[in-house]
Amino acid sequence: MAGIAQVSTNGVGKDHWYELAAQEWLKPSTKARKVRADVVKNEIWDVLERENFSHTSLLGLEGLQLLESYLWPGYDEDSTNAHVLLIATLISTKARESLPTWDILADHHIRFSSFFRRVLALSLDTTLSANVRTLVLHFLVNAFQSLDNGLVRKECAPLVSISIWHNLASDAARERQLKDSNQLKKAWRASVKRYEAADDDGKARLRFERSWLHTLIVDFIIRLYGSGPEDVRYCEHFLEFISDLESQLPTRRYVGTLLDDMNMLPLIGLSPMFNAPDNGLIRDLYVLLRHFMNFPINDHTGAQYSLEESYVMHCESLARLQRIALKHFKDKLTLLALSNYGAIDQRGELDGHLQHLTHAELQELCNILGFRTTYPPASGIPTNRELLIEILLLAHERKKTFQETISNMSILPTERSLYEESLLRNETYDGSRPLAIPKLNLQYLTAGDFLWRSFILHRCEQFFEIRTYLEDTIKILRPTKDLSSDGVVFGHFSRMALPITKPAILEAAPAKVGYEQPAYVRAEITLNVSRLADNVRRDWDSLRPEDTIFLLAVSPSNDPRRLTNGHTGHNTDGSGISALRVAEVVQLLDENGRPVRDPIPGQVNGYGRRPHIRRLIVNLDAAAFQADSERKEKGTPDVYETMNLLVRRSKRENNFKKVLGTIRNLAVSEIVFPSWLQEVFLGFGDPRSVTYKNLPNRLQSVDLRDTFLDWQHLVESFPEKVIEPSIELQAGFRPPYVLISDTAPSTVASRPSKKRRRDEAEPGSQTASEPGVVKVSTYQIPAIGPYPSDAPRGNGIRFTPAQIEAIVSGTQPGLTVIVGPPGTGKTDVASQIISNIYHDFPSQRTLLIAHSNQALNQLFQKITRLSIDGRHLLRLGQGEGELETDESYSKSGRVESFLENRAFYLAEVDRLAASLGAPGAHGNSCETAGYFNLVYVEPAWHKFCDAAHSNSSSTSEIISCFPFHQYFHSAPQPLFPPGAPKDTILDIAHSCQRHIERIFTELEDIRPFEILRNNRDKTDYLMIKEARIIAMTSTHAAMRQQEIADLGFHYDNVVMEEAAQITEVENFIPLALQHPRNGELPLQRVILCGDHFQNSPVISNMAFRQFANLEQSLFLRLVRLGVPTIGLDAQGRARPSIAALYKWRYPKLGDLPNVLTDSEYLSANAGFRFEYQFIDVPDYKGRGETQPSPHFVQNLGEAEYAVAIYQYMRLLGYPASKISILTTYAGQRALIRDVLMHRCADNRLFGMPRIVTTVDKYQGEQNNYIILSLVRTTRPGYLRDLRRLTVALSRARLGLYILGRRSVFESAPEFTRAFELPLQRPANLILTTGEMFPTDRLLKDDAPATEMVGLEHLGQYVYEMTQAKVRMMKEGSDRLPPQEPEHLLDIDKEENTVRLAEEGVAMDDSVEEMNVDEPEDIM
């Protein structure tokens, strides 16, 4: 408990909570603890209330297990309100920190139901303060966002069922909703019968359920009109709550009708709270609610209305208004009745017509149209003239579609969009207030809704990153005012920015038809590069067309000309952005106007002298230029006159324009999913319906080719089934095997019943089992030639039963979700699926997607080793150059390969012609080769076949009449073995025939490349016709979506690696790289490989990560929805003892035979007593963790310890390339690298390790030995997200040495299982002396141990070893370790501190990768 004391005292800053915890619930006890109501009320609740529910205190109480150990076990129906409210508040705190929220409540259904009812009652208790009711509302928001949990869904569903329609204005209003739908009538009758059949308690419960939301809405409206400023935050959360209800189809279905009936939008828009100047968030939340309430969708069928259908419905409402106006108000509204739709659907025009009516007439008109005009007297809601007119206006004015809205949103930032109030509000998010941004959750209304949300969020995220980057760059430059010229002087240098003079506008092209802005605006920028170092100048010379750059007008903070757009406080470092415009590079010219080419060694642009000037031709943001021109005409100064800085970003980070453009283009198009996938993707279909077992096009036979190695492998792969050979075969025959199914596809309802939704099994489970018999057949794979190179390359992996299940599912049509824990062979499974599809479906094409180039290249390299023709492989994107293959698989590389093959095969044609004695230049071209095949080769084959297949022909006669003896003289001889039977002779002859046929087949495929003259045409043809397996990263797909689709590119299958690391929209875009066929995307298979227990996508901004859930991947969402998954269950990466450190995350994870038998796994780590250890690192020089700058967390003691262990290992002979140093914070990475650069980089005894990086960036990689620095000494930090901890513990194969503060991590309940094994070992590092790498000692052997008591002890020990090593080398009895290849070591000297030093910045000014560390106030 001392550890808990440290965490609580340091993290929370108070001893009160720990002392209370130690007294009440942390002390050991064999009896059930009784909750004392006075303690809950006086010692906890009242203290929190006085602190205004400080998040720091709530985090401290959550860390002290108040909920798990005290409040929830002690809850019953007699618990006090404070008890209930504390439980709800701590659940919300857990949800905010992305911790498991509902798990501890799952086994207590009755208690949870009672607790939830108490919370609902408290939500209506008007005696509670606004702050307390806000906490309750926050809990309800989390509950309705967790409908994937059956326990929560059971309680939430009745609150938004059709029974809430009892609260509509009248029975007539309800009948209007029911009249056109038999389904709704049936649901309503069932609701009524359920009420009538209930007993008194049941009826009271049902009355409460159907009136709860209506009561809550009325209370909200009262607060809008009559309450004080303390209610603003409550109303903000309520708007968030009803927006969430409207954004999901199951909750929207009946709630939307109630909100419309209550006239929610008009009431909010006219309220005093809405119109108060300081309540900008209320207004933004209103806009978000209005978007969802007006979304063009049928609430009951889920069908999205097209633009045409929406317009027709709008016209029908106007026509009804005109008919009623003419019939009932002819004297006053005749002009309205006779006006065209385009006039009266404008707010101003319609308002002018309605002003002629009196209040009574307006009320009558609203009643006739079916709008509510009265409210309960107790509510005090006014129904004045202003409200009635607003109701009519909102109902009949033309509303912008979401497509129109995002079409008008710029994807290029300006200073105005970067500093919008809403964007700045997102940056200051602390969890206490909601945000006016959409959320990504389980369900979406339509594909358009999903893309709209994604566009809004990604645009905000990109703009946040750009603003942060620009402000950090300006901070480095340190601009000051030049008193002599009244300009700006930059006091420091950045390699990513150059001072410039104003750009020269060269041309503003006339606007295109239908547009107001110029078609393009061409400008020239002069760059002075004379003072740049050669490497920096080369970086600027690498600018290419379509690269995005930023033009800024920078003013010091004390300059009155600095623009802030009405915002303050966004630049606390003294620099300011007065103006920002984005430009796109057109061309880079030298000072003589010639294009800058790639440099010749020893020269610069073809000349030996140093260049001084570069002229950059760019296209400016045309929309911004048009707005600037209009402002200039009104007297505003020309913004381009003030531009004084040009900033660029690295290419990897600077793809925002193309990515946002792709998302926007998809959102405004009417994209249609494959019919079999659509409902499940949107989140409201039966999750089982997309698996092959339930699809009507399930294959009845699946050829698995070389998947199985032998008959025993086949039997082992189906342990609970009987393998039944086909009738004509006996058990034990050799592969390939074809699995035959006599089972018809299961029939699964496309939309599950309510009963199934209530009683749904665990996610991923299946109610129906497969038959117990697997029928198997085989066939003979024909040989394709007599040469050894003609033999196919087969699979050599003995796949496990789980891997076989995944391969079978992936080969079948449908959705396959493969959960692959670390080291379980996800990539091998994916490559085998691709190989099976390639061979079984020759007409189909497969798209490979991965998040990183490294993962994609690993998969692609494995594919190249399989029996797949290289001419059908294509790797797109910059990462192709990193492939470790002999051939190039880029577009140009593949075209060159085709042309090289052309030369080779044409030479073969000449050789074949010579063997046949055929005169002529037959190998001159692909065309002449084709004629040669028709005239000479095929007749020769026909003649031979006729003779060979004659019943009277003998083997010697067949051999003698074979016409290609001379051609195959280079094949292994004899071509026809003496004494071979006739069938064997014929098989050999036919294999020779296939070899020759392949020559002409490939030449026919090459022929288009011979005809096409333009290289672009060749590469396009390759992509859309020849390539059958196309690989690219998700980023490349997002950047090139429109270009690829417009080529006519099509594919049938998508295989996605690292699917759990990719944001949802990045998951989606690869599904839409082609235009729809027959009204939908023609996909047959989608295979997702990933692990949702490891890191999610990295999102910089906490608001988008925590509030909007932007880090959600499609993979995780499908798992939450209950889509059946296939879990790989055997790892072959790490020692079993190291794998045990993370098996608690994967209960079924076992070990492959190799880790149990291979010597490297059985041997001990030389010099170490243990293969893993958690080493306690106390304060070093009186300091633990530090933050030189915000969020840049460092720990010098752990950094020194990590380097000392590394040096020790190197002195023992461990290869540097087999050691990686990981840390949980970018600040610590910079510090460790700094220590390494100082002590090891230039010393051959040590050198640099394989890599020093953060845990986040090392996902998907592994190494033999990992040194892990946890950094934090006051609280666990972001490792409380167990996904990161899983990654950290699973990177090592043979050795893992964790450096951290034990007291911090042993106290947190979420780390109990993770560190259970390491904490059983000594806290000090235990070494085994007298060993060198590698050692003969086995892991199980005992060995003399030496304990290192602290860092100083280890440092002294390493120092003495180093001195001894140096002496031995001087004496000639030892030598330096061999030099390892540079590409295996972390020797990038331009990163972190070195990069910062070049720019004249101290380490604590570094901002690199801060976005992956958590903000100070959330952990």
Side-chain angles (χ1 to χ4, degrees):
M1 292 199 305
I4 300 177
Q6 181 180 7
V7 176
S8 302
T9 301
N10 294 340
V12 177
K14 295 182 180 180
D15 294 332
H16 171 78
W17 299 130
Y18 171 71
E19 293 171 358
L20 184 65
Q23 179 180 351
E24 294 296 330
W25 66 85
L26 290 183
K27 59 184 179 182
S29 174
T30 57
K31 299 180 180 179
R33 293 186 180 89
K34 184 176 181 181
V35 176
R36 294 198 295 159
D38 60 323
V39 170
V40 171
K41 179 67 170 65
N42 302 327
E43 301 294 330
I44 304 178
W45 179 257
D46 288 348
V47 174
L48 287 173
E49 195 165 21
R50 284 195 297 270
E51 292 182 344
N52 199 22
F53 303 100
S54 161
H55 186 59
T56 304
S57 291
L58 289 173
L59 272 181
L61 289 170
E62 192 280 324
L64 289 168
Q65 307 176 48
L66 173 61
L67 177 63
E68 299 91 332
S69 301
Y70 192 60
L71 294 177
W72 182 244
Y75 171 80
D76 57 35
E77 292 187 355
D78 297 326
S79 296
T80 63
N81 286 346
H83 192 154
V84 174
L85 290 168
L86 273 174
I87 293 176
T89 303
L90 287 172
I91 288 175
S92 299
T93 302
K94 280 181 170 290
R96 176 174 165 182
E97 297 302 313
S98 301
L99 298 173
T101 306
W102 308 104
D103 295 353
I104 62 170
L105 317 176
D107 298 330
H108 307 279
H109 294 248
I110 297 176
R111 272 205 296 156
F112 179 78
S113 181
S114 166
F115 160 72
F116 201 88
R117 292 284 152 180
R118 291 283 300 277
V119 174
L120 293 178
L122 288 171
S123 70
L124 303 179
D125 188 349
T126 57
T127 64
L128 297 177
S129 68
N131 283 347
V132 173
R133 291 190 70 186
T134 300
L135 293 176
V136 175
L137 198 54
H138 202 179
F139 168 83
L140 294 171
V141 168
N142 291 322
F144 276 91
Q145 290 284 300
S146 305
L147 297 181
D148 55 315
N149 185 290
L151 193 67
V152 178
R153 185 172 61 248
K154 182 179 179 182
E155 301 301 325
C156 292
L159 304 175
V160 292
S161 69
I162 197 172
S163 64
I164 65 174
W165 282 6
H166 279 281
N167 302 290
L168 296 184
S170 63
D171 292 342
R174 184 170 56 250
E175 289 303 319
R176 282 195 297 272
Q177 299 295 328
L178 298 174
K179 68 176 182 178
D180 295 327
S181 173
N182 292 328
Q183 182 180 355
L184 289 177
K185 291 177 183 177
K186 183 178 178 181
W188 177 256
R189 288 195 296 268
S191 172
V192 172
K193 289 180 180 178
R194 187 163 52 250
Y195 178 82
E196 292 173 348
D199 57 18
D200 291 343
D201 290 340
K203 287 181 179 179
R205 181 187 180 103
L206 291 173
R207 281 195 300 271
F208 177 82
E209 289 174 350
R210 73 192 189 191
S211 64
W212 173 79
L213 183 58
H214 177 262
T215 307
L216 212 59
I217 292 172
V218 171
D219 176 72
F220 164 71
I221 296 172
I222 292 172
R223 291 172 184 271
L224 282 176
Y225 280 84
S227 298
E230 69 277 2
D231 291 309
V232 171
R233 187 159 297 187
Y234 174 85
C235 291
E236 290 170 351
H237 278 286
F238 189 85
L239 284 170
E240 175 197 4
F241 175 60
I242 57 176
S243 293
D244 287 350
L245 295 182
E246 282 287 276
S247 68
Q248 298 184 96
L249 195 62
T251 53
R252 171 194 181 92
R253 185 166 285 121
Y254 306 115
V255 171
T257 300
L258 178 61
L259 294 178
D260 286 335
D261 179 79
M262 295 289 293
N263 299 317
M264 181 64 77
L265 292 178
L267 285 169
I268 296 173
L270 295 175
S271 65
M273 187 178 292
F274 176 88
N275 291 288
D278 295 335
N279 293 338
L281 180 55
I282 290 281
R283 289 186 286 275
D284 289 344
L285 288 166
Y286 167 83
V287 172
L288 183 64
L289 174 63
R290 184 179 63 191
H291 162 82
F292 282 118
M293 289 186 65
N294 293 332
F295 195 85
I297 186 176
N298 186 312
D299 291 343
H300 307 295
T301 66
Q304 179 177 331
Y305 296 125
S306 66
L307 294 176
E308 182 179 352
E309 289 171 330
S310 298
Y311 183 69
V312 168
M313 293 167 63
H314 171 64
C315 292
E316 288 175 352
S317 69
L318 291 176
R320 181 166 177 258
L321 174 64
Q322 288 181 318
R323 290 194 298 270
I324 292 172
L326 194 60
K327 181 177 180 180
H328 298 278
F329 308 96
K330 185 175 182 180
D331 294 340
K332 295 185 177 181
L333 296 182
T334 300
L335 186 58
L336 181 150
L338 298 178
S339 298
N340 60 64
Y341 295 154
I344 60 173
D345 68 0
Q346 302 300 312
R347 171 175 278 263
E349 291 287 335
L350 184 56
D351 184 45
H353 292 296
L354 296 177
Q355 291 297 335
H356 299 300
L357 300 180
T358 64
H359 179 273
E361 290 171 331
L362 286 170
Q363 192 164 7
E364 181 185 358
L365 176 59
C366 287
N367 287 330
I368 296 172
L369 289 169
F371 297 118
R372 179 194 284 265
T373 59
T374 58
Y375 295 91
S379 68
I381 298 174
T383 53
N384 52 31
R385 175 185 179 85
E386 187 180 13
L387 175 61
L388 297 175
I389 290 179
E390 186 65 17
I391 291 171
L392 293 168
L393 291 177
L394 282 178
H396 296 95
E397 68 179 349
R398 185 180 181 276
K399 305 170 184 66
K400 276 190 175 182
T401 64
F402 72 89
Q403 294 98 328
E404 292 174 317
T405 301
I406 63 174
S407 294
N408 295 331
M409 296 178 69
S410 174
I411 58 176
L412 300 178
T414 66
E415 76 282 357
R416 297 174 183 272
S417 57
L418 283 191
Y419 292 102
E420 286 179 355
E421 182 181 355
S422 58
L423 196 60
L424 295 177
R425 192 187 298 124
N426 296 339
E427 185 178 349
T428 58
Y429 173 76
D430 62 2
S432 63
R433 302 176 71 182
L435 297 173
I437 53 177
K439 300 177 183 178
L440 303 183
N441 200 23
L442 279 176
Q443 298 177 326
Y444 304 107
L445 301 177
T446 64
D449 172 48
F450 160 70
L451 290 165
W452 175 82
R453 299 189 206 195
S454 298
F455 176 78
I456 298 296
L457 293 175
H458 279 271
R459 180 177 180 269
C460 291
E461 167 78 358
Q462 291 293 337
F463 281 18
F464 164 77
E465 290 183 358
I466 289 170
R467 184 166 68 83
T468 303
Y469 178 83
L470 294 178
E471 289 182 352
D472 291 337
T473 302
I474 294 171
K475 178 181 177 181
I476 292 171
L477 292 171
R478 299 184 184 178
T480 57
K481 190 171 183 179
D482 186 355
L483 299 178
S484 61
S485 64
D486 199 32
V488 176
V489 176
F490 297 100
H492 281 255
F493 165 75
S494 171
R495 64 189 304 154
M496 306 303 287
L498 280 179
I500 60 170
T501 57
K502 65 178 182 179
I505 308 299
L506 302 179
E507 178 187 9
K512 295 180 180 179
V513 176
Y515 292 87
E516 295 182 358
Q517 66 196 41
Y520 62 86
V521 179
R522 190 70 45 85
E524 179 180 311
I525 304 168
T526 302
L527 307 179
N528 185 346
V529 297
S530 60
R531 299 178 126 188
L532 299 182
D534 288 343
N535 61 329
V536 178
R537 189 189 64 255
R538 283 194 295 270
D539 287 345
W540 283 96
D541 285 349
S542 68
L543 287 172
R544 293 292 180 263
E546 298 187 352
D547 283 354
T548 302
I549 58 175
F550 302 91
L551 302 176
L552 290 94
V554 177
S555 301
S557 58
N558 58 355
D559 192 328
R561 294 172 300 179
R562 175 183 174 199
L563 303 178
T564 60
N565 301 309
H567 306 296
T568 59
H570 63 266
N571 263 319
T572 59
D573 56 10
S575 62
I577 299 174
S578 298
L580 165 67
R581 295 295 178 267
V582 177
E584 189 176 82
V585 175
V586 175
Q587 195 174 26
L588 183 65
L589 307 175
D590 64 14
E591 53 197 15
N592 297 315
R594 293 174 298 193
V596 173
R597 303 182 297 273
D598 292 332
I600 301 172
Q603 296 184 343
V604 178
N605 200 34
Y607 300 91
R609 65 182 182 83
R610 186 183 186 89
H612 292 277
I613 298 297
R614 290 286 186 257
R615 295 166 54 194
L616 191 61
I617 309 301
V618 299
N619 282 337
L620 299 176
D621 180 357
F625 180 83
Q626 176 71 15
D628 293 334
S629 300
E630 293 173 356
R631 284 192 289 268
K632 183 179 177 182
E633 291 176 358
K634 297 178 181 178
T636 303
D638 187 355
V639 70
Y640 300 97
E641 296 283 341
T642 64
M643 296 294 179
N644 55 10
L645 186 68
L646 178 66
V647 178
R648 62 185 176 90
R649 298 171 77 195
S650 67
K651 295 182 185 296
R652 181 173 57 86
E653 299 171 333
N654 209 32
N655 49 37
F656 71 95
K657 179 183 177 183
K658 292 181 178 179
V659 173
L660 291 178
T662 293
I663 302 173
R664 183 171 65 179
N665 291 339
L666 289 173
V668 300
S669 65
E670 294 186 0
I671 196 74
V672 182
F673 291 100
S675 55
W676 59 271
L677 181 61
Q678 177 164 343
E679 288 196 349
V680 171
F681 181 93
L682 295 177
F684 48 83
D686 187 331
R688 298 171 300 163
S689 65
V690 291
T691 60
Y692 77 93
K693 297 175 182 178
N694 300 304
L695 288 176
N697 60 337
R698 171 181 179 175
L699 302 174
Q700 296 304 299
S701 64
V702 180
D703 184 357
L704 295 180
R705 302 184 66 83
D706 59 351
T707 302
F708 301 101
L709 303 186
D710 49 46
W711 178 262
Q712 185 60 33
H713 185 199
L714 173 66
V715 173
E716 293 169 353
S717 299
F718 300 95
E720 298 180 359
K721 297 185 180 181
V722 177
I723 308 301
E724 181 180 296
S726 56
I727 297 175
E728 68 276 9
L729 298 170
Q730 298 297 321
F733 55 86
R734 299 284 301 168
Y737 298 125
V738 179
L739 303 187
I740 302 171
S741 173
D742 293 332
T743 306
S746 305
T747 55
V748 179
S750 61
R751 193 181 300 273
S753 67
K754 289 183 180 178
K755 184 177 187 301
R756 195 201 72 80
R757 290 201 299 270
R758 279 193 211 102
D759 304 330
E760 192 172 7
E762 288 298 314
S765 64
Q766 300 184 52
T767 56
S769 60
E770 283 290 280
V773 177
V774 176
K775 294 186 178 181
V776 182
S777 68
T778 189
Y779 61 92
Q780 182 69 36
I781 298 179
I784 58 173
Y787 297 95
S789 59
D790 291 328
R793 290 167 289 181
N795 161 55
I797 300 174
R798 199 172 193 86
F799 291 113
T800 66
Q803 290 174 322
I804 292 295
E805 182 184 0
I807 292 169
V808 171
S809 178
T811 308
Q812 288 270 10
L815 174 65
T816 299
V817 180
I818 303 171
V819 179
T824 52
K826 295 188 295 290
T827 305
D828 292 323
V829 169
S831 59
Q832 188 62 37
I833 291 173
I834 293 163
S835 176
N836 289 348
I837 294 173
Y838 173 84
H839 291 289
D840 293 352
F841 308 97
S843 63
Q844 294 187 10
R845 313 177 79 210
T846 301
L847 182 65
L848 309 187
I849 297 293
H851 174 62
S852 66
N853 279 306
Q854 179 184 359
L856 185 63
N857 287 345
Q858 287 176 353
L859 175 59
F860 197 85
Q861 284 162 194
K862 291 195 174 187
I863 292 171
T864 61
R865 301 187 193 112
L866 299 176
S867 186
I868 293 177
D869 196 329
R871 64 199 174 102
H872 293 144
L873 297 174
L874 180 61
R875 168 68 163 90
L876 300 180
Q878 297 294 324
E880 189 276 336
E882 301 169 10
L883 277 174
E884 297 176 4
T885 55
D886 296 331
E887 300 182 55
S888 171
Y889 289 93
S890 65
K891 287 196 287 187
S892 58
R894 286 295 83 198
V895 170
E896 290 175 5
S897 175
F898 269 91
L899 298 179
E900 289 172 2
N901 289 344
R902 172 183 179 272
F904 170 77
Y905 286 123
L906 290 178
E908 288 295 291
V909 170
D910 283 334
R911 194 164 69 86
L912 187 60
S915 71
L916 294 177
H922 301 294
N924 187 53
S925 68
C926 296
E927 184 178 12
T928 59
Y931 291 140
F932 169 71
N933 182 41
L934 290 173
V935 175
Y936 289 94
V937 179
E938 290 187 1
W941 278 120
H942 291 318
K943 182 178 179 181
F944 167 74
C945 289
D946 290 343
H949 289 284
S950 171
N951 293 331
S952 60
S953 60
S954 64
T955 56
S956 59
E957 291 173 339
I958 294 173
I959 294 172
S960 62
C961 70
F962 183 70
F964 299 103
H965 280 289
Q966 184 179 346
Y967 176 74
F968 288 106
H969 75 277
S970 58
Q973 300 296 324
L975 185 62
F976 299 101
K982 182 176 180 179
D983 289 344
T984 301
I985 297 298
L986 288 175
D987 287 343
I988 294 172
H990 286 304
S991 73
C992 293
Q993 180 183 9
R994 295 185 194 98
H995 179 91
I996 293 176
E997 286 176 346
R998 183 184 177 189
I999 294 174
F1000 294 103
T1001 300
E1002 295 222 9
L1003 284 172
E1004 187 63 28
D1005 290 341
I1006 295 170
R1007 186 177 178 187
F1009 298 95
E1010 185 179 75
I1011 297 171
L1012 296 170
R1013 297 302 176 192
N1014 184 286
N1015 192 56
R1016 177 65 180 270
D1017 293 338
K1018 292 178 182 179
T1019 56
D1020 289 348
Y1021 179 86
L1022 168 75
M1023 185 169 175
I1024 63 177
K1025 292 294 184 181
E1026 280 300 321
R1028 288 178 50 199
I1029 299 175
I1030 304 96
M1032 67 185 78
T1033 63
S1034 56
T1035 301
H1036 185 87
M1039 293 173 61
R1040 303 291 181 184
Q1041 185 273 337
Q1042 192 67 44
E1043 175 186 335
I1044 293 172
D1046 288 344
L1047 281 176
F1049 180 65
H1050 67 90
Y1051 52 98
D1052 307 273
N1053 316 295
V1054 175
V1055 178
M1056 205 172 294
E1057 262 276 35
E1058 300 181 315
Q1061 289 180 257
I1062 307 176
T1063 61
E1064 274 211 83
V1065 76
E1066 289 178 302
N1067 286 128
F1068 171 80
I1069 290 173
L1071 307 181
L1073 290 181
Q1074 57 186 331
H1075 292 308
R1077 290 184 177 181
N1078 301 322
E1080 64 181 52
L1081 295 173
L1083 290 176
Q1084 297 194 34
R1085 294 173 186 81
V1086 176
I1087 298 113
L1088 303 180
C1089 305
D1091 182 5
H1092 56 292
F1093 292 122
Q1094 296 189 59
N1095 278 350
S1096 58
V1098 177
I1099 302 300
S1100 304
N1101 188 292
M1102 183 174 67
F1104 307 131
R1105 185 172 66 246
Q1106 290 190 353
F1107 181 83
N1109 204 21
L1110 186 55
E1111 66 175 0
Q1112 174 175 271
S1113 65
L1114 174 63
F1115 188 96
L1116 174 61
R1117 188 165 67 87
L1118 291 175
V1119 172
R1120 289 181 64 197
L1121 286 168
V1123 170
T1125 61
I1126 300 171
L1128 306 185
D1129 56 7
Q1131 69 88 24
R1133 169 190 292 175
R1135 299 182 192 268
S1137 56
I1138 292 179
L1141 301 179
Y1142 51 88
K1143 279 186 180 178
W1144 57 275
R1145 289 289 269 173
Y1146 311 98
K1148 296 182 180 179
L1149 184 63
D1151 300 308
L1152 290 172
N1154 67 300
V1155 300
L1156 302 175
T1157 58
D1158 289 0
S1159 60
E1160 67 173 344
Y1161 295 104
L1162 300 178
S1163 299
N1165 294 339
F1168 293 93
R1169 177 63 186 86
F1170 302 108
E1171 73 280 21
Y1172 66 83
Q1173 213 180 335
F1174 192 135
I1175 303 155
D1176 187 48
V1177 182
D1179 287 353
Y1180 179 62
K1181 296 182 179 179
R1183 303 177 71 184
E1185 67 176 67
T1186 60
Q1187 292 195 52
S1189 59
H1191 320 318
F1192 204 62
V1193 188
Q1194 297 180 333
N1195 185 320
L1196 182 59
E1198 290 187 18
E1200 294 281 6
Y1201 214 126
V1203 174
I1205 292 177
Y1206 170 72
Q1207 290 177 304
Y1208 172 72
M1209 296 177 73
R1210 292 290 289 137
L1211 290 171
L1212 294 184
Y1214 283 85
S1217 61
K1218 300 300 181 183
I1219 306 170
S1220 295
I1221 302 179
L1222 305 184
T1223 178
T1224 51
Y1225 290 87
Q1228 183 73 348
R1229 185 194 77 154
L1231 183 58
I1232 292 173
R1233 281 185 54 84
D1234 191 46
V1235 176
L1236 283 167
M1237 296 296 295
H1238 178 68
R1239 299 208 176 140
C1240 303
D1242 297 323
N1243 189 332
R1244 276 282 305 278
L1245 273 178
F1246 306 116
M1248 295 292 283
R1250 173 69 183 90
I1251 195 170
V1252 181
T1253 188
T1254 59
V1255 170
D1256 283 353
K1257 290 187 175 294
Y1258 207 61
Q1259 179 164 342
E1261 299 192 45
Q1262 60 182 327
N1263 210 345
N1264 286 3
Y1265 308 97
I1266 297 294
I1267 303 169
L1268 173 64
S1269 171
L1270 301 182
V1271 186
R1272 303 309 293 262
T1273 58
T1274 59
R1275 55 182 182 274
Y1278 79 177
L1279 272 184
R1280 294 192 74 189
D1281 185 342
L1282 296 180
R1283 295 172 297 185
R1284 286 191 174 95
L1285 182 60
T1286 304
V1287 176
L1289 297 178
S1290 61
R1291 300 304 97 196
R1293 297 180 63 246
L1294 304 177
L1296 173 64
Y1297 300 97
I1298 306 168
L1299 306 174
R1301 187 66 56 89
R1302 278 191 168 215
S1303 59
V1304 170
F1305 294 94
E1306 67 186 355
S1307 63
E1310 56 266 29
F1311 298 127
T1312 300
R1313 291 184 294 172
F1315 289 131
E1316 177 183 3
L1317 295 176
L1319 290 174
Q1320 293 174 8
R1321 293 185 170 176
N1324 290 325
L1325 178 63
I1326 307 297
L1327 303 182
T1328 300
T1329 58
E1331 287 185 329
M1332 295 295 289
F1333 176 88
T1335 180
D1336 295 329
R1337 177 169 58 94
L1338 297 179
L1339 192 62
K1340 63 182 180 181
D1341 294 343
D1342 290 329
T1346 300
E1347 182 177 2
M1348 295 290 107
V1349 184
L1351 170 59
E1352 292 81 359
H1353 189 181
L1354 177 62
Q1356 181 64 28
Y1357 188 74
V1358 170
Y1359 173 77
E1360 293 173 359
M1361 286 183 65
T1362 305
Q1363 296 302 310
K1365 184 89 169 179
V1366 172
R1367 285 196 300 270
M1368 294 172 65
M1369 288 191 296
K1370 288 181 178 179
E1371 295 168 359
S1373 58
D1374 204 344
R1375 58 184 180 181
L1376 287 169
Q1379 187 73 38
E1380 297 188 58
E1382 289 189 356
H1383 72 276
L1384 294 179
L1385 303 177
D1386 189 6
I1387 58 173
D1388 186 355
K1389 296 189 179 181
E1390 292 186 359
E1391 288 198 24
N1392 294 330
T1393 57
V1394 178
R1395 176 183 66 83
L1396 297 168
E1398 286 181 356
E1399 298 181 349
V1401 184
M1403 181 184 296
D1404 61 0
D1405 287 329
S1406 173
V1407 294
E1408 180 176 332
E1409 289 190 44
M1410 286 186 193
N1411 54 7
V1412 303
D1413 295 345
E1414 96 284 18
E1416 173 66 21
D1417 59 350
I1418 69 166
M1419 291 293 178

